[in-house]
Amino acid sequence: MSTETSTTLNGKVRALDVAVTVGALVFWAIVLAWIRWGQGSIARNRYAVVFLGGILVLYLMHEAVDSLSEGDLLDLLILVACGAVMVVASVYIYTDYEAFYIRRQGWAHDYEYRLAWLVIAVILYLTWRAYGNVFLALIGGVMLYARFGNYVPGLFGHSGIETNFMLQMLITDLAGFYGSLTQLTAAWIAPFLLYAGLLFAYGAFDLILRIAIVSAKYIESGVAQTAVIASAIIGSINGSYAANAGMTGSFTIPTMMDAGLSGRTAAGIEGTASTSGQVLPPVMGASAFVMASVLGIAYIDVVIAGLIPAAILVISILVAVHYTSVNEIGGQSMDFEDYFDEEMTRNDKLVQSVRFGVPFAVLLITLGYLQWTVMTSALYTIVAMVGLGVAIPVAQTAYEVSNGQRGARVELDERWSTGVRSRVASVRRNSVFDTLVDEVGNTIHGFRRGAVILAPIAIILAAVNGVVDLLGTTGVPSRIAIMLMQLSGGILIVAVIFGMGVCIVMGVGMPTVAAYVIVSTLVAPTFINVFEIPELAAHYMVFYAAVMAGVTPPVAVAVVVASGIAGSNFWRSCASAITIAAPLFVLPISFIYHPEIVSTAIGPQSLISGLLILLGAITIIYGLNYPFPHSRWVTLPLRAVLFALGAFVMIYPSWVLKAVVIAAFFLLFASERAIANGRDLPFPTSLGR
């Protein structure tokens, strides 16, 4: 390629990249304007048409930048064609909204059906492009099942759906791809992902890593705990355990391996931490918003219900990682200077606390205390984040300049744009104008980053919305209920185990929120309607079970990504992850037998139950991870017994028997510690060494 041609191509790439940024700003202006002023004048499903079309076009433009820079003209032409289809469809449906939604419900013109086919083709293509063959097979398979169900034998056979009726369900009646999940994404999830994009741009996740590393300096397994803390916090907002494992794992896994941990252990820790972060309030990988909508309860109630399970989960993983890490390499020291050029001064810490803490406080107060809507709370949080994100660095620079602090200071600037952490030294300028320009640039980058984060989630939720509508029409949820009843014989614990298996299979490789949508539609109703389990307990059970697909072989996508970074054997990494995450496979069953721990009102009963379940989880962790000083023939049965005792404590409803088992565990624990330290046992008999 000649220099002139290369220069021309680079110019086109830059122009398209700028167009993506401008498009993101316009897109978010429309989203925020509708939240603030448009809800009364533009119906939510009509707005969803603009929203879905806009975010898909932005995604196509973003992908086209890479295609153009790589000179892949065929891919570029496909992207342009898809963009043209979405622009035409969105403009046509929006301008003729009343005809589509009111006057012609249940039928459409032939050319509208053809347009619907094109939109479906675009959704299928973008689903494949963003998530691969598994999701393409899922959506295409469900469409084929809905259309030709009369050829399916047995329990899951049905009469089949006519082609035009399927097109009406998916497109022309503004359900399906434009249905409730797309509308929920547009109204609730989108502004929170914009908030996440701003946090990335302003350096909040750099601050999280700093906090994780500083806190890890004070515990023996410090290096490994950094992975847990950082991955869990970032994963809660990220919404995909695979993406989270790739993003934070690119930093945490080499760090753990440098400290002496094996690749398989580092990959197992990161895979577990990235997966568990998906269930942490207040975002829960965006699933909290969907759960509130599905159950018809306040978002803050979903967050409150998830606090005790999240505490059990985090403490269990921290204890397991401690045992695993210390047993493998002993104590680990962390030198802050190895990761950052300099420590933050006390003034910097105060400034950053205000900069990021105040917007988060706005979110908590408006949602929890003032009981404002999710959209309004998110809007004011974004306003606060943008205002303080720009104003505070400018004010700090002005203060430093006024006090003669003109020396440039080098800081670490974390870049996550490609999912790979790179250290880039940047100089804090003392010019107030320069700082203002920098922070305005960061704000623009945050708006673009928010759109990039949002696009894949919007795509998969639109696709899943169509899948759920088709499966509901064909009666699959009731058929799954019949199947679970037949397999379990009406025994609750057996039905729960089979139901969890179904959830794990359906959650394989899926983004968190998409997995929850499917299992909450197909599996949760069985436990609510047939076994009369409280709604929140049933939904949290299927949610946690679906998320555990991230560490469940043979797929275990989070471990696949982590082991790829570590260069470790996948199966050994899975074994490490399962020994760390073992209590989390039992925890969803606890929700069924102890619904008080997923209650919207936390009281003494829920706290006591939560504590007992936590002790049961620690019993499992101790049994699977403690290095018992016995032969294999003694150790293996001992581990199995401790796992069974821990699972019993986590599930069995009687507090008395739980207390007896926990007392037995503490006696065994004290005995093993005495053996390890060469002291006399705390009771007359002795255990074989």
Side-chain angles (χ1 to χ4, degrees), residues 388-669:
L388 294 175
V390 174
I392 286 184
V394 171
Q396 185 181 16
T397 301
Y399 175 79
E400 291 176 353
V401 171
S402 66
N403 283 273
Q405 300 173 4
R406 297 182 179 275
R409 185 166 55 184
V410 178
E411 292 184 338
L412 186 68
D413 182 16
E414 300 291 347
R415 300 298 184 189
W416 296 93
S417 58
T418 62
V420 179
R421 180 181 183 271
S422 61
R423 298 180 180 183
V424 182
S426 64
V427 178
R428 174 183 289 177
R429 301 167 184 169
N430 286 319
S431 165
V432 175
F433 178 76
D434 286 342
T435 302
L436 176 62
V437 170
D438 287 344
E439 295 307 327
V440 170
N442 286 337
T443 303
I444 293 172
H445 174 69
F447 277 84
R448 173 171 173 151
R449 182 62 184 265
V452 171
I453 296 172
L454 170 63
I457 294 177
I459 290 168
I460 196 62
L461 283 182
V464 167
N465 203 149
V467 167
V468 167
D469 284 357
L470 290 175
L471 292 177
T473 302
T474 57
V476 169
S478 60
R479 298 168 198 271
I480 289 180
I482 295 171
M483 179 190 72
L484 289 177
M485 286 296 294
Q486 290 176 346
L487 292 174
S488 67
I491 301 172
L492 178 58
I493 184 65
V494 178
V496 171
I497 293 172
F498 278 117
M500 284 183 60
V502 173
C503 293
I504 290 173
V505 170
M506 291 182 175
V508 167
M510 282 200 176
T512 303
V513 64
Y516 166 69
V517 169
I518 290 179
V519 297
S520 66
T521 302
L522 301 182
V523 182
T526 301
F527 296 99
I528 296 169
N529 300 325
V530 178
F531 292 98
E532 298 182 347
I533 302 299
E535 282 188 323
L536 261 177
H539 278 257
Y540 263 98
M541 187 275 284
V542 299
F543 173 47
Y544 268 63
V547 168
M548 291 312 297
V551 293
T552 304
V555 181
V557 177
V559 182
V560 169
V561 175
S563 59
I565 295 172
S568 61
N569 179 272
F570 167 73
W571 292 102
R572 292 186 176 183
S573 299
C574 272
S576 179
I578 288 175
T579 58
I580 295 169
L584 309 184
F585 289 93
V586 183
L587 187 57
I589 307 176
S590 302
F591 302 155
I592 300 298
Y593 289 92
H594 300 277
E596 66 272 10
I597 68 171
V598 282
S599 170
T600 57
I602 298 177
Q605 183 181 5
S606 56
L607 291 174
I608 293 172
S609 294
L611 177 60
L612 292 173
I613 291 170
L614 174 60
L615 292 174
I618 292 175
T619 302
I620 293 176
I621 292 296
Y622 179 77
L624 295 181
N625 295 278
Y626 184 76
F628 294 108
H630 311 299
S631 68
R632 177 179 297 183
W633 300 106
V634 175
T635 299
L636 290 180
L638 184 58
R639 293 192 190 281
V641 168
L642 284 170
F643 180 89
L645 291 178
F648 177 86
V649 172
M650 292 182 72
I651 297 172
Y652 196 73
S654 170
W655 286 6
V656 176
L657 290 178
K658 285 177 184 290
V660 171
V661 173
I662 289 171
F665 163 69
F666 277 114
L667 191 61
L668 177 62
F669 177 81

Side-chain angles (χ1 to χ4, degrees), residues 58-115:
L58 268 178
Y59 178 77
L60 291 163
M61 292 172 63
H62 181 263
E63 292 292 293
V65 172
D66 292 334
S67 299
L68 185 60
S69 63
E70 295 170 2
D72 191 341
L73 295 181
L74 177 60
D75 189 59
L76 184 62
L77 286 174
I78 294 173
L79 293 172
V80 170
C82 290
V85 169
M86 291 311 304
V87 169
V88 170
S90 299
V91 171
Y92 179 75
I93 295 173
Y94 181 85
T95 54
D96 205 21
Y97 167 76
E98 290 190 0
F100 269 89
Y101 192 66
I102 298 173
R103 296 198 302 270
R104 290 194 276 108
Q105 273 284 312
W107 71 276
H109 298 295
D110 288 342
Y111 61 85
E112 291 171 339
Y113 286 132
R114 287 192 287 272
L115 181 61

